[in-house]
Amino acid sequence: SADTVVFIALAAIAVACARAMPGLAVSLVWLSTLLQLNERFDILLSQLAVLYVVGMAARYGSRAWVVLSGLSILLGAALGTFYMVRTDSWLVGPIVRAVANNQWPSNNQLIAVFIAAGTVMMVPWLLGLMIRLFTGKQSALQSTAQAREEADSALELARLRAENAALARDVHDVVGHSLAVIIAQADSIRYIPDSEVVRIRETTNTIAEAARRSLGEVRHVLSQT
C-alpha cells in the first residue's frame, strides 16, 4: 500500500543520513513510528533500520543526540510493547505464546516483550557508544603525543637559538677585541717616521699576529658547536 511505501521510504532515508546527520535520522525513525502507530500498521521489517540509526546516533551524534537516542530506546520499547501486544503483531506472537505456555500472568507477557524489544534496540546503541568512547580515547592519546612532540620540538628550537645567541656573542667579543687591537696598531703606523723601517715592520707584524690570533680564537669558538 501507499502507507507501506511511505514507511519504507522514511526508513531508507534515515539509514542513508544516519552517519552524516544522526539527529535527522532519529527524527525520521520516530516520525515513521508515530505514523505507523496512528495507522495501526503491524511491525514492518523496514523498522529494523532503527537499530542502525540508534547505533550511528550513539557513535557520531552530538552528546544531546546520544542521550536522546538512548532515551528514545526506552520510550520506543514501551510504546512498541503495548502497540504490538494490542495489534497481536507477528513479531511478539512467539514471546507471548512462550510466556502463556509457562502459565505466567499477562503482565509478565508485557514485561517479557518490553525487555526483548529494549534489549534488541539497546545493543547497537551500546555498541556505537563503546566505539565512540574508544575512538575518543585514541584521539586523546594521539593529541597528547602530538602535543608532547611539539613541546619537545619547541624546547629543542629554544635550546638551539640560545646556543646560536651565545656563539654570536663569543664571536663578537673575539673579533671586536682583535679589531680594536688591529685598528690601534694600524693607526699608530701613521705617526712612525718613514725612516724607522724597523718600527714599521714590528707594528705590521703585531697587526698580522693579532689577526692570526683572532682567526684562531674564532675557529676555536666555532669548533665547540
Side-chain angles (χ1 to χ4, degrees), residues 42-53:
D42 198 356
I43 301 299
L44 301 174
L45 288 177
S46 61
Q47 287 184 293
L48 292 176
V50 70
L51 304 180
Y52 178 78
V53 169

Side-chain angles (χ1 to χ4, degrees), residues 85-200:
V85 171
R86 183 179 179 183
T87 58
D88 192 21
S89 172
W90 62 271
L91 188 59
V92 301
I95 299 176
V96 173
R97 287 192 295 271
V99 174
N101 290 336
N102 288 296
Q103 297 180 350
W104 288 359
S106 58
N107 288 339
N108 286 349
Q109 296 177 3
L110 294 178
I111 295 174
V113 174
F114 174 76
I115 293 175
T119 301
V120 171
M121 296 176 64
M122 188 65 70
V123 168
W125 184 83
L126 290 175
L127 181 61
L129 184 61
M130 290 175 60
I131 296 175
R132 180 193 188 99
L133 295 176
F134 177 77
T135 54
K137 181 179 179 181
Q138 293 298 110
S139 299
L141 291 175
Q142 292 177 358
S143 299
T144 301
Q146 183 177 359
R148 187 179 295 111
E149 291 178 359
E150 292 176 354
D152 292 341
S153 298
L155 290 175
E156 179 65 17
L157 180 60
R159 185 186 65 81
L160 292 176
R161 287 180 176 177
E163 290 181 354
N164 290 337
L167 176 63
R169 287 194 300 270
D170 292 341
V171 172
H172 177 271
D173 293 342
V174 170
V175 174
H177 174 72
S178 299
L179 286 178
V181 174
I182 292 172
I183 292 172
Q185 293 293 327
D187 287 340
S188 67
I189 293 178
R190 294 181 299 175
Y191 301 103
I192 300 176
D194 295 340
S195 59
E196 297 185 14
V197 178
V198 175
R199 289 182 59 190
I200 294 175

